[in-house]
Amino acid sequence: MLDMLRGKRLVFVGDSLNRNMWESLVCILKGSVKDPSKVFEANGRQHFRGEASYSFIFKDYNCTVEFFVSPFLVQEWEMPDKNGIKKETLRLDLVGRSSDQYKTADIIIFNTGHWWTHEKTSKGKDYYQEGSHVYDELNVLEAFRKALTTWARWVDANVNPMKSLVFFRGYSASHFSGGQWNSGGACDSEVEPIKNATYLREYPPKMLVLEKVLRGMKPMSLT
C-alpha cells in the first residue's frame, strides 16, 4: 500500500469513526516500514484527540496520511440570540472550514452520520442555520440532506476528478453491548459480523438520504 501511496496525500475527513480508521491505518503502515523513525506527525503531536487536523509523513515514500476533524462536513457556528448571548448553530449552507486544505489531495475519504443522532441535532430545535436564518425546528433528515447537498456541491465545484479519488464511507446503526457508547457499552470483543436477526436494525434512513444525494452528483466526482 505504501508503494501505491508513494508521492501522494491520503486524507480522511469526518468524525471519530474516520479518525479510528486513520489511526489504525497509520499504525499498520508504520509497522511495515524498515525505519519507523522516518514516520512522524508533521507537527510533532503525540495525542490525537484535541486538534483540528493531523498529518503523518512517511518520509521514505514521500506520502502523507492525514485526518481533518469535521463531524458534520458543514460548519459548526455561533451567533447571538435575542439577548445577545452566543448560541451554537450548525450552518447547513457552509462546508467545513478546513476544506481548502485538502481539496487537492490525491485520495479523500469522507464520512458523517452518528453525530446527527445526538440530542441537539436529532431534535433540530433552534439549531440549524442557513444564511442568517435559524430554523425554529427542522427535521433531522431534511437537515442532513441539506448539509450533504452543500458538501456534494463543494466536491463537484472544487475537487478535480482527474486528479483526486473521492470516497464516502457509510455507517451502520449503533451496535454496542451493555449500554450505549457513553454509558458503558462496548463492542471491542466482537470478532465476527452479527448474524442474529434479533439484534439487527433496519437500514439507517440517513443512508437512504445519502444515496439520493450521491446520485445527483456529477459523474466521476465520487468513487
Side-chain angles (χ1 to χ4, degrees), residues 32-171:
S32 71
V33 300
K34 293 179 179 179
D35 186 354
S37 69
K38 292 185 178 180
V39 180
F40 49 89
E41 205 281 322
N43 295 294
R45 296 167 179 155
Q46 300 294 319
H47 303 283
F48 308 109
R49 289 294 188 274
E51 301 294 335
S53 64
Y54 306 94
S55 175
F56 266 85
I57 298 169
F58 291 76
K59 193 171 182 180
D60 284 343
Y61 294 86
N62 187 32
C63 70
T64 60
V65 181
E66 308 172 38
F67 173 63
F68 288 83
V69 178
S70 186
F72 299 105
L73 300 182
V74 290
Q75 288 188 28
E76 295 175 81
W77 199 261
E78 285 187 343
M79 69 172 299
D81 62 15
K82 59 184 179 182
N83 299 315
I85 299 172
K86 286 187 177 180
K87 65 177 180 180
E88 295 180 346
T89 62
L90 190 65
R91 287 294 298 267
L92 302 176
D93 55 340
L94 294 177
V95 75
R97 292 183 176 86
S98 57
S99 56
D100 281 345
Q101 298 180 53
Y102 56 73
K103 66 182 181 182
T104 59
D106 300 279
I107 304 168
I108 316 173
I109 303 168
F110 294 94
N111 91 306
T112 189
H114 278 301
W115 278 50
W116 295 83
T117 65
H118 294 185
E119 184 175 1
K120 283 188 297 186
T121 47
S122 62
K123 289 184 176 180
K125 293 184 178 180
D126 200 30
Y127 179 60
Y128 294 120
Q129 180 177 353
E130 287 185 291
S132 59
H133 175 68
V134 178
Y135 289 90
D136 291 334
E137 187 171 355
L138 185 65
N139 180 274
V140 64
L141 288 179
E142 177 61 12
F144 188 67
R145 184 195 66 78
K146 286 176 176 288
L148 286 182
T149 300
T150 295
W151 166 83
R153 288 172 178 167
W154 177 86
V155 171
D156 283 342
N158 291 276
V159 178
N160 180 359
M162 303 306 294
K163 178 186 185 299
S164 304
L165 282 174
V166 177
F167 296 84
F168 198 109
R169 292 184 56 228
Y171 76 99

Side-chain angles (χ1 to χ4, degrees), residues 11-32:
V11 174
F12 290 83
V13 183
D15 59 27
S16 60
L17 298 182
N18 249 9
R19 186 189 66 215
N20 290 345
M21 293 289 285
W22 165 79
E23 287 182 358
S24 296
L25 182 59
V26 168
C27 290
I28 291 170
L29 295 179
K30 185 175 181 179
S32 71

Side-chain angles (χ1 to χ4, degrees), residues 1-9 61 63 106-107 165:
M1 185 170 186
L2 282 167
D3 283 332
M4 294 174 66
L5 291 176
R6 191 180 296 275
K8 299 183 184 298
R9 290 180 67 198
Y61 294 86
C63 70
D106 300 279
I107 304 168
L165 282 174

